[in-house]
Amino acid sequence: MAIAKRITINDVALAAGVSVSTVSLVLSGKGRISPATGQRVNAAIETLGFVRNRQAASLRGGQSGVIGLIVADLCKPFYAELTTGLTAKLEAEGRMVFLTQGGRRGEHVRQRFDTLVSQGVDGIVIAGSPGNAGELLAQAQEHGIPLVFASRAGYLDDVDTVRPDNTLAAQMIVEHLIHRGHQRIAWLGGVSSSLTRAERVGGYCSMLLKYGLPFHSEWVVECPASQKQAADAITALLRQNPTISAVLCDNSVIAMGAWFGLVRSGKQSGEDGVESYFEQQVTLAAFADKPEQELDDLPLTWVTTPAREIGEGIGEQILMRIAQGTSSARHQVIPPRLIIRK
Amino acid sequence: MAIAKRITINDVALAAGVSVSTVSLVLSGKGRISPATGQRVNAAIETLGFVRNRQAASLRGGQSGVIGLIVADLCKPFYAELTTGLTAKLEAEGRMVFLTQGGRRGEHVRQRFDTLVSQGVDGIVIAGSPGNAGELLAQAQEHGIPLVFASRAGYLDDVDTVRPDNTLAAQMIVEHLIHRGHQRIAWLGGVSSSLTRAERVGGYCSMLLKYGLPFHSEWVVECPASQKQAADAITALLRQNPTISAVLCDNSVIAMGAWFGLVRSGKQSGEDGVESYFEQQVTLAAFADKPEQELDDLPLTWVTTPAREIGEGIGEQILMRIAQGTSSARHQVIPPRLIIRK
DNA sequence: ATGAAAGCGCTAACAG
DNA sequence: CTGTTAGCGCTTTCAT
């Protein structure tokens, strides 16, 4: 099939017997156009199958209608959910998102940022902490492009952020465990280089303190997100510290692994089956990224910092920025939700 | 901070004491420019912090450097992996991707498609079957935009596709089970409306047939992706059909749930613990979207149709199309990989 | 090897 | 209410 000549507003104008500016006005719904002409123009658009070229439109001065997103690692559920929330919000407003990956350690952020700028985006969202937030912010301001971070942005305070309240989330779930009678609560999972984890651990500590409960640094165990390693880690932890009655897992993979570990230990310890071991001796709790399903069948309580809502919040925030321009930085904190099982 | 005036190639030309066309040539590395001027221009670009405006560049005739992706549901691991593979590939080639969501039932595909066209993308990828593949293909051809599907495209054969070999994947894993001595193999999970599942079930049937093994339609059980429901379903299935020795799970959530179900049943049946019940009586196998980690700790074998590789394959395919223009449709089939545990 | 000039498709004054 | 006109920033012949 031959490639049809690109249809432009000129063609439409010609077909409708009006001028290009009239067509443009109809398209953007601005100037007051008589219903009659509007009809004719729209009819012409319809029959010719015209699609407006947004590049040309934004070149002239308008907005491109595009937001750039730099995300650390799409395969992590947190980012997938966030991205979904953001695109949903923006698409509902007739905008689009440029998706780029900054790399797990932010190694590509800078380069992607420049590319986004050169593509003429109306705003940029950075999800996953880049080392050089300050530099990026300066760049963005220079170009007059709104910038929103989906995390704390290093030590900067004068930049928009939308983020979970990790500290509060930890406090909520720890308090829940305490109210259930637990006094000796351990922490499993995550790596100490994670800022999110650091905030959570902070909340955990503060709540123990508040209730005058003991804090042992050996009870805070690092572990990468692998079920196998989590299973081994919880086994070792409980063997060393048999008095621990509850374990808080840093994420759902850890929670799964921990559960496997408990099942295994229950058997190995020669006790009366798995369930009794599990229920009588150790309670699991966890952090998760989505409110539903994921941990469905595990008898544990978890707290979620809803990633999708964060994405939606970011969308809102950046739309506001685009519409209203500069004002003082705004920090939007999405509240955690406790989901209690059993 | 004041918004700096956007600097254009005019500014660069002025600073370097050359004409805009020279700058343009340096930028695109085309015409033969003397090393001396090249240096001067680049220096000017550097000091002014010039970033080329791709919108304007593509407007005049070149490519936009952007590929549009319409994905059904980013939160499903298959699509997240695919998207990651695709963006990685394209970013490595200096291109970008527009991410849009078509909706689980493809309800927005048509609209997103038009938007992508109006944004001037160089190509479009559709992941997740839209009802109206034919219509979209016609549209794409009309605009001269390459189109690649990450699935079968309805009944169309004259369109590029990159997809998993679901039938072969099922055959591989079923044959593996048979070689391990299993004769009575059941299927758990998925819903009958899924084309992917239909292809897999087809492979399953054909392999049973090949080895002269019995096929019972009651042994193919539908189940939504919920651990709880999978656990209940496998329990019921095994109670009704105690002779089943292996269960093939349609996805990893089902596999997890099935495992929980087995654990529970093992206890309920009053037998000697979980492991023995599991190992002696029922073997689990599963389909998964990524080769690593996900099912790490489950004692089961699985087969994966690597979604990330599919994404990379799509990237390759669409780049080739853009570079080489129209030729006959190409169907790229990504081979499954069997991952054997224990 | 480099410059001049004509647009790409669209918007936004400014006239009518 | 609608038409004229001048660009947006860049690429690309065609001269020089």
Side-chain angles (χ1 to χ4, degrees):
Chain A
M1 178 192 242
I3 295 167
K5 189 181 72 62
R6 221 185 184 319
I7 302 194
T8 77
I9 60 170
N10 279 293
D11 305 319
V12 176
L14 214 64
V18 296
S19 76
V20 289
S21 46
T22 305
V23 178
S24 179
L25 290 181
V26 173
L27 251 32
S28 56
K30 288 189 176 171
R32 321 128 296 255
I33 306 278
S34 74
T37 352
Q39 301 286 290
R40 253 185 317 140
V41 171
N42 281 316
I45 288 175
E46 191 67 33
T47 49
L48 274 76
F50 164 79
V51 286
R52 171 212 228 144
N53 182 336
R54 287 216 62 150
Q55 311 206 93
S58 68
L59 179 56
R60 185 55 227 273
Q63 295 175 357
S64 63
V66 179
I67 303 295
L69 170 63
I70 303 177
V71 75
D73 180 7
L74 243 200
C75 291
K76 284 193 188 165
F78 177 83
Y79 293 115
E81 289 279 331
L82 183 150
T83 303
T84 299
L86 178 65
T87 57
K89 191 80 183 181
L90 293 178
E91 287 179 346
E93 302 289 330
R95 292 167 179 276
M96 310 214 63
V97 358
F98 258 139
L99 175 68
T100 66
Q101 311 218 50
R104 299 191 189 210
R105 277 164 306 287
E107 60 274 29
H108 300 133
V109 172
R110 191 51 219 271
Q111 196 265 310
R112 302 293 185 258
F113 184 92
D114 287 342
T115 310
L116 288 174
V117 171
S118 90
Q119 291 280 2
V121 295
D122 295 335
I124 293 181
V125 175
I126 298 184
S129 39
N132 50 353
E135 189 189 336
L136 296 175
L137 179 60
Q139 281 275 319
Q141 287 180 329
E142 199 169 305
H143 291 284
I145 299 176
L147 181 63
V148 176
F149 285 90
S151 64
R152 270 190 217 290
Y155 298 102
L156 295 178
D157 211 50
D158 54 342
V159 58
D160 287 354
T161 62
V162 180
R163 59 187 181 77
D165 191 334
N166 295 313
T167 305
L168 177 59
Q171 290 172 334
M172 282 168 67
I173 198 158
V174 169
E175 189 158 45
H176 168 81
L177 289 171
I178 292 172
H179 285 165
R180 286 250 184 133
H182 292 280
Q183 309 245 353
R184 309 177 70 83
I185 303 170
W187 181 288
L188 179 63
V191 289
S192 63
S193 61
S194 155
L195 181 55
T196 296
R197 180 178 183 269
E199 293 178 345
R200 288 174 176 170
V201 172
Y204 157 82
C205 287
S206 71
M207 202 42 78
L208 292 185
L209 222 64
K210 178 175 165 190
Y211 283 88
L213 296 177
F215 170 79
H216 304 281
S217 58
E218 324 89 71
W219 291 10
V220 176
V221 179
E222 283 192 55
C223 182
S226 143
Q227 286 175 16
K228 201 183 294 287
Q229 293 186 58
D232 294 345
I234 197 173
T235 305
L237 176 68
L238 294 179
R239 189 170 8 245
Q240 297 283 328
N241 308 277
T243 61
I244 288 171
S245 77
V247 176
L248 187 45
C249 302
D250 188 69
N251 60 61
S252 62
V253 174
I254 294 288
M256 285 278 178
W259 199 77
F260 285 125
L262 289 181
V263 168
R264 223 169 45 188
S265 304
K267 293 201 313 291
Q268 289 176 345
S269 70
E271 299 190 296
D272 176 25
V274 173
E275 199 165 26
S276 62
Y277 179 92
F278 177 81
E279 290 196 8
Q280 291 171 11
Q281 299 199 7
V282 177
T283 292
L284 287 183
F287 294 86
D289 297 318
K290 19 187 173 177
E292 5 66 33
Q293 268 208 2
E294 201 172 25
L295 299 172
D296 245 17
D297 226 27
L298 254 44
L300 56 71
T301 283
W302 75 88
V303 64
T304 175
T305 46
R308 187 172 301 218
E309 288 177 26
I310 293 176
E312 291 165 357
I314 292 172
E316 241 163 56
Q317 179 64 26
I318 205 149
L319 287 173
M320 196 200 79
R321 264 289 177 245
I322 290 172
Q324 306 189 5
T326 313
S327 62
S328 66
R330 180 165 162 233
H331 301 277
Q332 199 176 333
V333 175
I334 307 295
R337 271 212 298 275
L338 193 62
I339 291 156
I340 297 168
R341 273 298 140 86
K342 291 184 52 168
Chain B
M1 174 191 240
I3 295 168
K5 189 180 72 64
R6 217 182 187 321
I7 56 171
T8 76
I9 61 171
N10 279 292
D11 305 319
V12 176
L14 215 63
V18 295
S19 76
V20 289
S21 38
T22 304
V23 177
S24 179
L25 290 183
V26 173
L27 250 33
S28 57
K30 287 189 175 169
R32 324 126 293 254
I33 37 94
S34 75
T37 21
Q39 301 285 289
R40 253 185 316 140
V41 171
N42 281 317
I45 288 176
E46 191 68 31
T47 48
L48 276 77
F50 164 77
V51 286
R52 173 212 227 141
N53 181 336
R54 291 215 58 148
Q55 310 206 94
S58 68
L59 178 55
R60 184 56 224 276
Q63 295 175 358
S64 64
V66 179
I67 304 293
L69 169 63
I70 304 178
V71 74
D73 180 6
L74 243 200
C75 292
K76 285 193 186 165
F78 178 83
Y79 292 114
E81 288 279 330
L82 183 149
T83 303
T84 299
L86 178 65
T87 57
K89 189 84 182 177
L90 294 178
E91 287 178 348
E93 302 288 329
R95 291 166 178 279
M96 310 214 63
V97 357
F98 259 138
L99 174 69
T100 66
Q101 309 219 52
R104 300 191 188 210
R105 280 164 305 288
E107 59 274 31
H108 300 131
V109 172
R110 190 52 219 268
Q111 198 264 311
R112 302 296 184 256
F113 184 93
D114 287 341
T115 311
L116 288 174
V117 171
S118 90
Q119 290 282 0
V121 295
D122 296 335
I124 293 180
V125 175
I126 299 184
S129 38
N132 50 353
E135 188 189 336
L136 296 176
L137 179 61
Q139 280 274 321
Q141 287 180 328
E142 200 170 305
H143 292 285
I145 298 177
L147 181 63
V148 176
F149 285 91
S151 65
R152 274 188 214 291
Y155 298 102
L156 295 178
D157 211 48
D158 53 342
V159 58
D160 288 352
T161 62
V162 180
R163 58 186 181 78
D165 192 334
N166 294 315
T167 307
L168 178 59
Q171 290 172 334
M172 283 168 63
I173 198 156
V174 169
E175 190 157 44
H176 169 81
L177 290 171
I178 293 172
H179 285 165
R180 287 250 181 133
H182 292 281
Q183 308 246 354
R184 308 175 73 84
I185 303 170
W187 181 287
L188 178 63
V191 290
S192 63
S193 61
S194 155
L195 182 54
T196 295
R197 179 178 184 270
E199 292 178 346
R200 288 174 174 169
V201 171
Y204 157 82
C205 286
S206 71
M207 201 43 75
L208 292 184
L209 222 64
K210 178 176 164 190
Y211 283 89
L213 296 177
F215 169 81
H216 304 282
S217 58
E218 324 90 71
W219 291 10
V220 176
V221 179
E222 282 192 55
C223 182
S226 142
Q227 287 175 16
K228 204 183 292 287
Q229 292 185 58
D232 293 345
I234 197 171
T235 304
L237 175 68
L238 293 178
R239 193 175 0 252
Q240 297 283 328
N241 308 276
T243 61
I244 288 171
S245 76
V247 176
L248 187 46
C249 303
D250 189 69
N251 60 61
S252 62
V253 174
I254 295 287
M256 285 278 178
W259 198 77
F260 286 124
L262 289 182
V263 169
R264 220 167 49 189
S265 304
K267 292 202 311 294
Q268 289 177 345
S269 70
E271 295 190 297
D272 176 24
V274 173
E275 198 165 25
S276 62
Y277 179 90
F278 177 81
E279 289 195 9
Q280 291 172 12
Q281 300 200 5
V282 177
T283 292
L284 287 183
F287 294 86
D289 296 319
K290 21 187 171 177
E292 6 64 35
Q293 271 208 359
E294 200 172 26
L295 300 172
D296 244 19
D297 226 28
L298 254 46
L300 55 70
T301 281
W302 76 89
V303 65
T304 173
T305 45
R308 187 172 301 216
E309 289 177 26
I310 292 176
E312 291 165 357
I314 292 172
E316 241 163 57
Q317 177 65 25
I318 206 149
L319 286 173
M320 198 201 76
R321 262 290 176 247
I322 291 171
Q324 307 190 4
T326 312
S327 63
S328 65
R330 178 165 161 236
H331 302 276
Q332 198 177 333
V333 175
I334 306 296
R337 271 210 300 274
L338 194 61
I339 290 158
I340 298 169
R341 274 296 142 90
K342 289 182 57 164

